[in-house]
């Protein structure tokens, strides 16, 4: 892992020290990432391009996956693979929801709202919350930070 990414993780860790906040974020952050991919999946890009039958192929979630996984692959192969696994879980969920005729947009919005609320509660417990703009940048850093914590527990190098 590069020192630049390590610096980002350290900045992220500054407002994530309390054990309850850490536990909340370990669940909420991946759910937020998954729900953002779901929301991007639900945007009607394929329909706008006149290809509604290709919705599962033509959607903005793929671009977000390339960007997020590419970011981590640049810094660490194992973290990049972890992000790809998390992204795959999001895609499987989107496909499952569609198969069950459940709105991906509504399900993703519900997941996002509950996970964001949980995260907000975690920061209340912590007594320290990043600024709004810092929190937005943490949307990319948070999932990798959670994966890195999991890797440390499992003794997986990154």
């Amino acid at each position: 892992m590069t020192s630049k990414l390590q610096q980002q993780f350290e900045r992220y860790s500054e407002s994530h020290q309390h054990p309850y906040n850490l536990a909340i974020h370990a669940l909420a952050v991946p759910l937020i990432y998954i729900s953002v991919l779901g929301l991007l999946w639900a945007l009607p890009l394929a329909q706008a391009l006149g290809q509604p039958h290709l919705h599962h192929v033509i959607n903005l979630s793929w671009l977000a996956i390339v960007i997020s996984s590419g970011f981590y692959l640049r810094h660490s192969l194992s973290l990049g693979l972890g992000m790809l696994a998390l992204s795959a879980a999001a895609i499987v969920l989107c496909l499952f929801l569609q198969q069950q005729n459940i709105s991906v947009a509504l399900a993703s919005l519900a997941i996002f709202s509950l996970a964001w609320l949980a995260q907000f509660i975690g920061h209340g417990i912590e007594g320290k919350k990043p600024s709004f703009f810092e929190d937005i940048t943490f949307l990319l850093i948070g999932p990798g930070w959670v994966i890195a914590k999991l890797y440390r527990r499992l003794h997986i190098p990154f």
Side-chain angles (χ1 to χ4, degrees):
M1 179 173 62
T2 65
S3 61
K4 185 174 181 170
L5 184 57
Q6 182 61 39
Q7 289 172 347
Q8 292 292 326
F9 284 173
E10 288 170 8
R11 271 189 50 232
Y12 192 90
S13 292
E14 289 171 7
S15 55
H16 303 88
Q17 298 290 316
H18 193 282
Y20 291 146
N21 189 28
L22 289 171
I24 289 169
H25 275 71
L27 182 61
V29 168
L31 288 175
I32 289 169
Y33 178 76
I34 287 169
S35 67
V36 167
L37 289 180
L39 289 167
L40 292 171
W41 179 278
L43 292 175
L45 181 60
Q47 288 86 334
L49 296 173
Q51 303 293 324
H53 61 287
L54 294 177
H55 178 74
H56 61 286
V57 177
I58 302 174
N59 64 66
L60 292 176
S61 63
W62 295 113
L63 178 61
I65 290 168
V66 167
I67 291 169
S68 61
S69 298
F71 172 80
Y72 281 103
L73 283 168
R74 258 189 37 219
H75 297 285
S76 162
L77 176 61
S78 59
L79 286 174
L81 293 174
M83 286 300 290
L84 284 171
L86 184 59
S87 300
I91 297 303
V92 167
L93 177 62
C94 290
L95 290 169
F96 173 77
L97 291 171
Q98 282 184 325
Q99 211 170 43
Q100 301 303 312
N101 291 320
I102 298 171
S103 169
V104 173
L106 290 178
S108 297
L109 188 58
I111 292 168
F112 181 88
S113 299
L114 292 172
W116 196 270
L117 177 63
Q119 178 179 257
F120 195 76
I121 291 168
H123 284 297
I125 292 168
E126 182 82 43
K128 190 184 246 185
K129 183 184 182 324
S131 72
F132 175 76
F133 292 110
E134 193 172 39
D135 218 17
I136 296 300
T137 65
F138 283 168
L139 285 175
L140 180 59
I141 297 302
W145 180 82
V146 170
I147 292 169
K149 287 219 171 275
L150 175 64
Y151 283 0
R152 280 190 200 100
R153 281 196 136 173
L154 299 173
H155 306 290
I156 297 173
F158 59 93

